[in-house]
Amino acid sequence: MCISDECTIAHLRAPHWEIAQDPRSVFGKVALLHAVSWLHVFGTFCGIHTGTYRIVWRLAVLPRAQCVFDIAFRAKAQNGLLAEAHLPRNAQLLEFGSDYFDFVLPDLLKVTDPFEDIDIECKCTSRDWKTNLMLCSVRLEPVDSISRSLERGWTHQLLKIDGGYRSGRRLRRLQNLRSEPGASYRPWQPWTSFRWYESASMVLFFVVLAITFAQLLWSRTT
């Protein structure tokens, strides 16, 4: 779900919010928060099939952000089940910001009825000003037994990142983050996986280019 197109954003006007073009976004644009005290972004996934889902928000924190840790990210099914979390507090993230990363809510959301709607929102209505946040999208990831087993390895990966804190490696890794369930960070995976025909197409392109160039040289020398 594209935040800028498919969600309702309170106070969507200058100087609070801006819909900004960004080629790094899978949708080509993002909702850019400049400054607002009443922050409320909400939308609905309609007709979701029964199953268990992970809620994934894709966002970026800009340098010198304020009060973004107070924002509650939620997803609620019609059966009353709720998944909610806040961004993990990290002083370096506030100071230096990050590239886009996936923030995964720690609780899985179970849909018990077929074609059920899921309401999602991020909200903070305190008087403090929330600033410098980019919201790209939110999506549902079906969860199976295989993916659950993979989650157990994320903790070990997180410990490796934490171990590099004193040597300064963690700061560089903040440019490429993905959160794991439990609101901790792990490196994120791209939305579109690399396919074999992409590399084959590139090889074919350069082969055709080389043949064309050779023919041009041959025609000039003869």
Side-chain angles (χ1 to χ4, degrees):
M1 176 186 292
C2 177
I3 299 296
S4 58
D5 285 344
E6 302 176 73
C7 289
T8 301
I9 303 176
H11 307 295
L12 181 55
R13 60 181 182 274
H16 305 299
W17 286 90
E18 174 189 352
I19 302 301
Q21 302 296 319
D22 192 339
R24 297 175 300 168
S25 167
V26 69
F27 297 104
K29 54 185 174 180
V30 297
L32 172 59
L33 171 64
H34 293 296
V36 71
S37 58
W38 184 286
L39 186 148
H40 193 195
V41 178
F42 57 95
T44 302
F45 286 101
C46 299
I48 304 302
H49 201 270
T50 55
T52 304
Y53 296 88
R54 182 180 292 113
I55 314 299
V56 184
W57 290 78
R58 187 157 180 80
L59 54 99
V61 178
L62 299 180
R64 306 303 174 95
Q66 296 181 10
C67 299
V68 295
F69 298 141
D70 298 333
I71 302 172
F73 293 83
R74 302 188 183 97
K76 186 176 182 180
Q78 288 180 328
N79 56 22
L81 295 178
L82 176 70
E84 179 178 349
H86 295 74
L87 287 174
R89 295 186 177 273
N90 186 305
Q92 290 185 337
L93 187 63
L94 283 185
E95 183 70 17
F96 300 100
S98 73
D99 199 351
Y100 288 106
F101 63 92
D102 290 341
F103 176 57
V104 185
L105 300 193
D107 297 326
L108 300 177
L109 196 64
K110 189 172 183 179
V111 177
T112 56
D113 298 326
F115 307 110
E116 191 171 328
D117 292 347
I118 295 179
D119 297 322
I120 57 94
E121 70 173 354
C122 63
K123 186 176 182 179
C124 183
T125 58
S126 65
R127 294 185 178 181
D128 298 320
W129 287 92
K130 277 67 71 175
T131 66
N132 294 356
L133 183 68
M134 291 194 297
L135 298 177
C136 175
S137 61
V138 58
R139 68 185 188 272
L140 306 179
E141 289 185 351
V143 176
D144 54 25
S145 57
I146 297 177
S147 59
R148 286 182 181 178
S149 64
L150 291 176
E151 291 178 8
R152 291 192 288 267
W154 295 345
T155 303
H156 179 66
Q157 191 176 36
L158 178 63
L159 291 175
K160 288 184 177 180
I161 295 178
D162 288 338
Y165 176 80
R166 293 185 180 180
S167 61
R169 291 194 300 271
R170 178 169 181 161
L171 178 59
R172 293 193 295 273
R173 294 180 186 180
L174 281 175
Q175 300 303 315
N176 230 6
L177 297 175
R178 174 180 166 99
S179 66
E180 69 160 304
S184 299
Y185 290 132
R186 66 180 171 90
W188 61 272
Q189 298 294 329
W191 281 31
T192 54
S193 59
F194 189 82
R195 294 173 173 82
W196 66 269
Y197 55 77
E198 295 177 355
S199 57
S201 299
M202 292 295 295
V203 171
L204 180 61
F205 171 77
F206 284 111
V207 168
V208 172
L209 186 64
I211 293 175
T212 304
F213 183 70
Q215 289 177 342
L216 288 175
L217 288 179
W218 178 261
S219 62
R220 291 183 177 226
T221 56
T222 55

